Amino acid sequence: MAALLLLNRVSRSTSSNSIHRVAGALGFNSLNAQIHGDRISGTLFRVRPLATLAEGASRFDEMLSVNQRKFYLLGGKGGVGKTSCAASLAVKFASHGHPTIVVSTDPAHSLSDSFSQDLSGGVLKPVQGVDSPLLALEITPEIMKDEIKRQTGDKSVKNMMDSMGLGMFAGELGDLNLEDMLNAASPGIDEIAAISKVLQFMEAPEYSRFTRIVFDTAPTGHTLRLLSLPDFYDSSISKITKLKKKITAAASAFKSVFGKKEIQQQELPNELDQLKERMEKVRNVFRDVNTTEFVIVTIPTVMAINESSRLHASLRKENVPVHRLIVNQLLPQSESDCKFCSMRRKEQTRVLGLIQNDTELSGLKLIQSPLLDAEIRGVPALKFMGDLIWK
């Protein structure tokens, strides 16, 4: 509850300090590593084209030309390569002249590993090795708690209720301390922190120059909770506001019976109402086909495809726009085929057929990404992967 009441202050507090800290570092150096044929930084990537790869173009030129579409969220089952796909997309956007931010909302962050740079700390940091501005952020709920404490100081529940005109009832709650509430584990704190950052990206002037913001989301369950959070808060805030008005009216009537001074009604174009309006703004952005796109990432297994189908059904229910499906880790053709590879490829081909027959997934643009024989780490490797996926 404390996080709900105070999210409005935290998300509206400017993040200019983070911007100023990295502004001096935005003179990005040219790439240290160059791509020569299929060799990147000494690693040989043996890639053989899939027979159907041409059919799976992502239409990246379309993604570049749609100027209004600013937010890209990549999500899916855990372990399918969401972070690599999101990071490669961010590098691709930046390489084509779009000032870009890439954000990890996954509690188990992998952006630092993907870029092979230290991006921890909960603040925006410049990604080295990209010619255009590219900033990265790993959202840290602990940092958000510290921001709340700095915004509010050491406030008791009584002080909070006094500010809401409910101080007479605070004695019933004892000496609860706001700091104790913040230190307690809060369900959904990761999603609250993510929403806070989305609000900052939407409203703070210092972010207006960034034309693309890519979200590396948490596995499916966390992501659906993130997308449904604005609706949940809208409902919760409405209930809290109604309860406050009822309690204030009852207390006023009680005091008037005993001839005491009537409580002044404090109108609530207050933080709750403001937060309600801004949550509605976030909800509208998530559902706006002109500004937002959710890209589902999966792998060619029956379990992953089934979860992706359920994810798309949930996103459709939430009216979140989805246009593309990335099938990652596809085995490429090989001249000297081993029995294991042949069986795996046959199974993957069967799974691709399931996608074409799935009512949820068949209408999406299918992007096929091959399994590589080396780990994708660092900007040069991400550029290489981006050229394979984002065509």
Side-chain angles (χ1 to χ4, degrees):
M1 180 61 69
L4 170 61
L5 292 172
L6 299 169
L7 173 60
N8 197 35
R9 295 182 188 176
V10 176
S11 58
R12 295 189 68 173
S13 63
T14 177
S15 297
S16 57
N17 290 339
S18 299
I19 290 289
H20 293 325
R21 277 195 292 270
V22 300
L26 288 181
F28 291 88
N29 298 324
S30 59
L31 290 174
N32 296 323
Q34 299 295 324
I35 300 177
H36 301 290
D38 288 339
R39 186 175 295 276
I40 302 177
S41 300
T43 301
L44 183 64
F45 289 84
R46 293 184 294 274
V47 181
R48 301 172 185 85
L50 290 168
T52 58
L53 193 57
E55 300 172 7
S58 62
R59 301 182 188 177
F60 183 71
D61 55 347
E62 173 189 288
M63 300 170 76
L64 282 175
S65 61
V66 182
N67 293 326
Q68 282 184 298
R69 191 168 296 160
K70 182 174 183 176
F71 300 100
Y72 285 84
L73 297 89
L74 281 78
K77 184 178 173 65
V80 298
K82 296 185 298 295
T83 299
S84 295
C85 291
S88 68
L89 178 59
V91 169
K92 188 88 171 183
F93 276 139
S95 299
H96 281 74
H98 280 285
T100 302
I101 296 174
V102 57
V103 183
S104 171
T105 66
D106 191 342
H109 297 298
S110 299
L111 271 186
S112 292
D113 295 329
S114 186
F115 282 102
S116 196
Q117 299 176 28
D118 182 12
L119 303 173
S120 61
V123 295
L124 284 166
K125 292 186 177 182
V127 174
Q128 303 299 328
V130 184
D131 295 324
S132 298
L134 174 57
L135 303 184
L137 169 68
E138 293 182 340
I139 292 178
T140 307
E142 287 72 20
I143 300 294
M144 180 189 170
K145 289 182 182 180
D146 291 339
E147 289 179 358
I148 292 175
K149 291 176 185 177
R150 284 196 299 270
Q151 288 285 321
T152 62
D154 184 14
K155 289 189 177 181
S156 65
V157 171
K158 184 180 187 305
N159 291 336
M160 288 180 60
M161 296 188 71
D162 279 337
S163 68
M164 296 173 63
L166 303 177
M168 69 193 70
F169 298 101
E172 302 298 325
L173 300 177
D175 294 325
L176 291 179
N177 191 287
L178 179 57
E179 185 171 1
D180 295 334
M181 296 171 67
L182 291 175
N183 287 333
S186 175
I189 189 68
D190 303 294
E191 289 76 21
I192 292 172
I195 288 289
S196 172
K197 287 301 176 184
V198 172
L199 285 167
Q200 287 183 359
F201 294 150
M202 289 170 56
E203 298 175 345
E206 59 264 33
Y207 297 112
S208 61
R209 69 188 184 94
F210 291 95
T211 56
R212 294 293 184 272
I213 299 178
V214 180
F215 289 89
D216 168 31
T217 69
T220 304
H222 284 272
T223 299
L224 291 176
R225 192 162 58 193
L226 167 65
L227 295 173
S228 64
L229 201 60
D231 283 326
F232 171 76
Y233 274 176
D234 181 72
S235 174
S236 299
I237 292 169
S238 296
K239 291 177 182 177
I240 292 171
T241 302
K242 289 178 181 178
L243 178 62
K244 188 266 180 185
K245 289 179 178 178
K246 287 182 179 180
I247 293 176
T248 303
S252 178
F254 177 81
K255 285 206 166 189
S256 65
V257 169
F258 291 93
K260 295 186 178 182
K261 186 178 180 181
E262 186 174 339
I263 300 173
Q264 280 191 337
Q265 292 283 339
Q266 294 183 356
E267 294 298 327
L268 281 185
N270 64 0
E271 290 188 351
L272 283 178
D273 289 327
Q274 293 169 13
L275 178 57
K276 187 174 185 293
E277 292 176 2
R278 296 169 71 235
M279 281 294 158
E280 183 177 353
K281 186 187 296 186
V282 173
R283 178 180 58 198
N284 292 339
V285 165
F286 280 159
R287 295 173 177 176
D288 189 346
V289 69
N290 294 317
T291 60
T292 303
E293 178 180 342
F294 194 103
V295 180
I296 299 176
V297 184
T298 190
I299 55 176
T301 67
V302 174
M303 290 179 64
I305 296 302
N306 287 343
E307 181 165 324
S308 298
S309 180
R310 292 192 295 270
L311 171 59
H312 185 253
S314 298
L315 293 172
R316 186 166 47 80
K317 184 178 179 181
E318 294 287 342
N319 295 315
V320 177
V322 184
H323 304 300
R324 294 167 175 84
L325 171 69
I326 299 176
V327 182
N328 197 19
Q329 303 177 15
L330 282 165
L331 278 172
Q333 295 290 339
S334 174
E335 295 176 2
S336 57
D337 222 3
C338 67
K339 183 177 180 180
F340 172 81
C341 296
S342 178
M343 293 298 293
R344 289 291 296 171
R345 193 175 298 105
K346 183 178 180 180
E347 174 63 13
Q348 290 184 353
T349 301
R350 185 180 76 86
V351 172
L352 289 175
L354 294 179
I355 295 175
Q356 299 302 323
N357 294 322
D358 188 280
T359 55
E360 291 292 339
L361 304 178
S362 59
L364 302 179
K365 298 171 186 173
L366 181 63
I367 306 171
Q368 301 186 26
S369 174
L371 177 68
L372 303 176
D373 62 355
E375 192 175 27
I376 300 297
R377 296 188 68 232
V379 169
L382 289 169
K383 281 188 174 182
F384 180 84
M385 181 177 184
D387 289 340
L388 289 174
I389 299 177
W390 309 107
K391 297 187 175 184

